[in-house]
């Protein structure tokens, strides 16, 4: 069985004046959330054979902080198709993954990541949590079958859905 872990980029800084959305960096809370999630995944024993990520600045910075928490150096394959990708594009990327990789981390943006989870995992309580909201820096772990090319609608099992606030309540939504 293949394991697909989806990581949404951490909270970005809207106060930072950048010319393009693509160049928007993380804010301080986002950096802390990404590192916290990396530490948590390390505690769960999750590892990755392959990392494929959007090249957007906020994703690059998320991965830097996530890797720091994970305690590993990650060497992502930057894939421009993942920038603000739809679930259909993300599914195409997943189906084209090499079968030599058994545990893949895909890092990108919403709403595509949330929609991909909802497409692949059609049942379960965790799916309801994803349908409610897939917050920044959240992680979904799916078991998708023996071959990436056979990944299909409703063909995955959602094993975990972890939000930053589940690990550290101070990383929950801002109030006020």
């Amino acid at each position: 069985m293949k394991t697909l872990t989806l990581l949404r980029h951490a909270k970005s800084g809207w106060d930072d004046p950048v010319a393009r959305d693509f160049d928007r960096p993380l804010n301080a809370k986002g950096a802390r959330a990404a590192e916290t999630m990396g530490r948590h995944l390390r505690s769960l024993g999750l590892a990755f054979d392959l990392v494929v990520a959007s090249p957007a600045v906020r994703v690059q910075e998320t991965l830097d902080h996530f890797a720091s928490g994970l305690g590993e150096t990650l060497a992502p394959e930057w894939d421009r198709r993942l920038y603000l990708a739809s679930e259909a594009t993300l599914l195409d990327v997943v189906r084209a993954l090499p079968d030599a990789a058994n545990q893949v981390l895909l890092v990108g943006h919403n709403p595509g990541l949330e929609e991909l989870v909802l497409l692949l995992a059609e049942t379960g309580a965790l799916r309801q949590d994803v349908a409610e909201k897939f917050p920044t820096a959240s992680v979904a772990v799916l078991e998708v079958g023996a071959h990436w090319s056979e990944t299909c609608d409703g063909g995955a099992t959602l094993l975990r859905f972890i939000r930053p606030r589940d690990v550290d309540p101070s990383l929950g939504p801002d109030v006020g």
Side-chain angles (χ1 to χ4, degrees):
M1 298 300 273
K2 306 291 186 190
T3 303
L4 177 64
T5 301
L6 304 176
L7 169 62
R8 182 179 175 199
H9 69 77
K11 192 162 188 63
S12 57
W14 286 95
D15 296 336
D16 231 330
V18 293
R20 302 180 315 159
D21 173 72
F22 187 88
D23 298 323
R24 209 161 14 95
L26 295 185
N27 66 21
K29 185 176 181 179
R32 194 164 56 93
E35 187 166 343
T36 298
M37 294 303 284
R39 273 195 311 274
H40 187 67
L41 267 58
R42 178 180 61 201
S43 77
L44 296 174
L46 294 180
F48 310 103
D49 302 327
L50 177 64
V51 178
V52 182
S54 161
V57 169
R58 59 191 177 273
V59 173
Q60 292 179 37
E61 291 181 0
T62 296
L63 272 172
D64 288 345
H65 292 283
F66 180 80
S68 176
L70 196 60
E72 291 187 22
T73 300
L74 299 176
E77 291 183 8
W78 303 109
D79 189 332
R80 180 74 184 204
R81 293 175 298 169
L82 271 59
Y83 177 64
L84 304 180
S86 69
E87 79 274 11
T89 298
L90 293 170
L91 184 57
D92 287 344
V93 170
V94 169
R95 286 178 174 157
L97 291 169
D99 271 338
N102 290 310
Q103 298 175 317
V104 174
L105 175 64
L106 193 68
V107 190
H109 311 266
N110 249 14
L113 290 178
E114 177 179 321
E115 292 169 351
L116 182 63
V117 173
L118 298 177
L119 177 75
L120 296 178
E122 290 190 339
T123 61
L126 289 177
R127 186 185 185 280
Q128 287 305 113
D129 291 342
V130 172
E132 184 179 308
K133 186 171 185 185
F134 196 119
T136 53
S138 291
V139 170
V141 181
L142 299 115
E143 190 174 69
V144 297
H147 302 284
W148 296 112
S149 61
E150 297 171 0
T151 304
C152 62
D153 300 9
T157 302
L158 181 57
L159 302 175
R160 299 177 192 272
F161 177 56
I162 310 160
R163 300 164 296 202
R165 69 176 178 231
D166 299 331
V167 179
D168 178 349
S170 74
L171 294 171
D174 294 329
V175 180

